Amino acid sequence: MIKKISAIIIICLFLVGCGKPATLLDFLYEESNSLDLDGEKIVFIGETYADDALIDIQVKANTQLYDCVVERFDEIEKKYDCEIEYKCFGNTAAYEEQFKALMYAGYCPADIIYGHTDSKLQAFTEADMLYPLTGLKDYLDYENSAKFGTPGILEAAMIDGVPYAVQPCYWPGFQSNFNFVIIYNPILTTQQGLLDLHEYYENQNWTWDKYQSMIESFDKGGDEEMYATMTVDESFAMMALASNGVKGVDYIDGILKSDITTPKAIRAVEWMRDLFLNNEENILVKEDWELDEFIDSRVMTALTTTPKITAGDLQYESTIEFSIMPFPCGPDVTYGEWAQYTAAIRGFAIPSNNSTPEVSARIINDLCDPFEVFGGDAGLADYFNTNVFFDPLDTEIYLSVGKNIRYTYWRTSPNISELFNIVGEEFKTASAVELLTRFEPKLQEFVDNVLKSNYENYLHEHLYGDNVE
């Protein structure tokens, strides 16, 4: 049985090496491919402070998922004759600080680590502290997209086209993790005389125009604190660009460069400026992802991140029978194929100084296998229909929205909020062309330093290979 111990701040208590006797690698050369660790301790670092959660806040006690994860650890312990010791490093900067301190001191913090892109996995990748998964593909097939997600998810912990972490897509709440979706209140849409938005989805005409008309025609009914939609402006901008086919980097006239000044990017910004500046009274712009106003039935639609749906107040504190939609489709893309964005990866990785990474890769691969109780897509659908959503179509949208996913680059890209600060004077007065032209040099520098190597060495072939010029 996995041993779960509380977060420990004193670094010396974590000074444990990951070295294993060479005999542990004998399985690599046996036809049976068996692995007997002879009671060896496997150290696993998670990141939640919650006493009632394991690994991640979404793996909460007294849930099916928690029970499945605990049972999976037991299965792995028995299969490999090992003992998994779980340590919590917390879910703030303390996690990153402790991990990096141990690595800089020459110690291996753990055999396996779990973390988020935003403050951990990508930072560790950039600091050369994670093991490249390309060397472990025989034991951890990161290109199994059903199991670990699309190349766009892998990009959230990638350098030079090499992935360093995987996300378990068979775990409820993880397949569309940190994606952006639109939530809506069906009662308010009905009161506004609109069709249920699901009808637009089923009729395949969920477009910018439909969404804009809903916002423009919104009737506050005399209540100035009612809104057609609420959003965080820079995330809305990224979704607008992606939904019209802007990739950040692309081959243009045979040259790999920023696509931020292309006609489709200009159209996206023109649409956003028109939407926001002509409907200020109907749009609530937020600085964070709190959904208080939506939960209070004062907002008809909202752009939000999927953890707010599966593990936030909307799930645990709200009485609204909400529904979801993808971000609407722009005019310059093929309907049904426009990109949705993800902001992070929640996943597993291996410290670069782990002396037996093949062992850790095997364990991660087994850990992420489908849980029998969920049974693949059908079982996951049952889970979400029972525990999260009120309409089976919401489940369908949630499980499919990640198929055309791209990473937002929000952590390391030029500060896009400078460009799309909708209350700023520049956004209000400059044209879309002027805004994008000013921003392009920053993005091009980012393309040259960060995006180009991933795009050339992996992503273009795996995401857009049929369109190679």
Side-chain angles (χ1 to χ4, degrees):
M1 171 64 180
I2 178 177
K3 293 183 178 179
K4 179 180 177 184
I5 65 176
S6 60
I8 300 174
I9 303 300
I10 303 174
I11 286 181
C12 65
L13 294 181
F14 284 101
L15 300 186
V16 292
C18 294
K20 306 289 191 304
T23 53
L24 293 181
L25 296 183
D26 288 348
F27 78 93
L28 297 174
Y29 309 102
E30 297 175 358
E31 289 185 6
S32 64
N33 206 29
S34 63
L35 176 60
D36 185 348
L37 298 181
D38 194 25
E40 187 75 32
K41 182 179 292 185
I42 301 295
V43 180
F44 189 115
I45 294 176
E47 67 159 54
T48 175
Y49 282 128
D51 291 334
D52 64 341
L54 180 66
I55 301 176
D56 182 277
I57 192 63
Q58 293 196 91
V59 188
K60 292 176 70 69
N62 303 314
T63 65
Q64 241 181 348
L65 178 57
Y66 183 97
D67 293 342
C68 284
V69 172
V70 171
E71 183 179 353
R72 178 60 51 79
F73 275 120
D74 286 343
E75 293 171 356
I76 291 172
E77 287 181 329
K78 292 174 183 175
K79 179 177 179 180
Y80 297 130
D81 187 18
C82 65
E83 177 187 349
I84 297 177
E85 182 175 11
Y86 173 69
K87 296 180 178 181
C88 176
F89 264 18
N91 58 359
T92 65
Y95 182 107
E96 185 171 348
E97 291 170 2
Q98 292 181 67
F99 182 86
K100 285 188 172 182
L102 289 171
M103 293 292 289
Y104 286 136
Y107 295 97
C108 181
D111 296 273
I112 299 169
I113 68 167
Y114 171 86
H116 295 183
T117 294
D118 49 359
S119 60
K120 302 168 187 74
L121 292 181
Q122 183 64 22
F124 300 159
T125 301
E126 294 165 2
D128 198 26
M129 291 182 174
L130 299 182
Y131 199 92
L133 298 185
T134 48
L136 301 170
K137 200 166 185 295
D138 289 342
Y139 317 105
L140 181 61
D141 184 8
Y142 53 83
E143 290 189 339
N144 182 340
S145 60
K147 189 172 183 176
F148 297 120
T150 68
I153 291 176
L154 290 177
E155 189 185 10
M158 178 182 285
I159 289 180
D160 294 333
V162 175
Y164 288 81
V166 291
Q167 176 174 298
C169 286
Y170 283 120
W171 292 21
F174 285 72
Q175 339 29 35
S176 298
N177 213 5
F178 287 113
N179 288 13
F180 294 98
V181 294
I182 288 178
I183 52 174
Y184 70 97
N185 185 326
I187 293 177
L188 292 184
T189 57
T190 299
Q191 290 176 350
Q192 291 290 319
L194 299 167
L195 295 175
D196 187 282
L197 303 194
H198 279 170
E199 292 197 29
Y200 297 128
Y201 179 84
E202 292 182 307
N203 293 334
Q204 298 188 358
N205 61 354
W206 176 234
T207 62
W208 284 359
D209 290 343
K210 295 287 186 186
Y211 183 62
Q212 183 172 357
S213 67
M214 291 169 45
I215 295 173
E216 291 177 341
S217 64
F218 186 76
D219 183 358
K220 286 177 171 285
D223 186 344
E224 291 304 312
E225 294 186 359
M226 293 291 291
Y227 298 92
T229 196
M230 72 180 192
T231 185
V232 175
D233 48 6
E234 66 178 276
S235 296
F236 190 97
M238 289 188 292
M239 291 301 295
L241 290 164
S243 66
N244 205 39
V246 180
K247 303 170 186 175
V249 56
D250 201 4
Y251 286 101
I252 301 173
D253 297 326
I255 300 173
L256 189 63
K257 58 184 179 180
S258 159
D259 63 352
I260 199 66
T261 56
T262 56
K264 57 190 175 185
I266 294 170
R267 271 189 285 273
V269 176
E270 286 176 340
W271 174 68
M272 180 180 171
R273 291 182 77 256
D274 182 62
L275 181 71
F276 277 69
L277 298 184
N278 292 328
N279 300 282
E280 293 182 81
E281 71 283 358
N282 290 338
I283 302 175
L284 176 61
V285 179
K286 303 275 286 183
E287 294 184 356
D288 54 43
W289 293 106
E290 295 306 315
L291 297 175
D292 296 347
E293 293 86 354
F294 184 88
I295 291 172
D296 290 341
S297 293
R298 310 196 70 81
V299 178
M300 182 173 65
T301 68
L303 180 68
T304 192
T305 61
T306 47
K308 287 295 180 181
I309 296 172
T310 59
D313 291 345
L314 188 63
Q315 187 62 225
Y316 300 120
E317 305 296 334
S318 172
T319 59
I320 295 175
E321 294 190 7
F322 66 91
S323 282
I324 70 171
M325 289 284 282
F327 196 87
C329 180
D332 295 319
V333 294
T334 301
Y335 194 91
E337 297 180 7
W338 72 99
Q340 301 290 318
Y341 261 146
T342 186
I345 186 174
R346 270 180 162 153
F348 303 108
I350 302 168
S352 59
N353 59 357
N354 183 332
S355 62
T356 54
E358 299 89 350
V359 173
S360 296
R362 282 281 298 271
I363 292 175
I364 292 173
N365 190 66
D366 288 356
L367 183 63
C368 296
D369 277 342
F371 295 120
E372 184 177 353
V373 68
F374 300 122
D377 289 347
L380 287 173
D382 289 341
Y383 176 87
F384 284 109
N385 287 336
T386 301
N387 297 288
V388 178
F389 296 117
F390 302 91
D391 186 325
L393 191 54
D394 291 312
T395 295
E396 176 186 320
I397 293 170
Y398 180 85
L399 292 177
S400 64
V401 74
K403 291 181 179 178
N404 296 307
I405 205 69
R406 285 300 308 271
Y407 180 46
T408 61
Y409 311 120
W410 73 271
R411 183 178 178 275
T412 50
S413 65
N415 192 352
I416 200 168
S417 61
E418 295 177 5
L419 179 65
F420 296 109
N421 176 7
I422 68 163
V423 298
E425 190 63 27
E426 185 176 37
F427 184 82
K428 290 184 175 181
T429 58
S431 69
V433 173
E434 289 174 316
L435 288 171
L436 295 174
T437 301
R438 292 175 195 173
F439 186 65
E440 198 276 337
K442 289 185 178 181
L443 184 58
Q444 185 59 48
E445 181 179 357
F446 181 63
V447 167
D448 293 337
N449 295 336
V450 179
L451 304 190
K452 184 176 181 180
S453 60
N454 283 341
Y455 203 78
E456 286 184 325
N457 295 320
Y458 191 85
L459 292 172
H460 187 65
E461 176 184 353
H462 288 78
L463 286 175
Y464 310 109
D466 291 338
N467 298 320
V468 175
E469 296 180 29

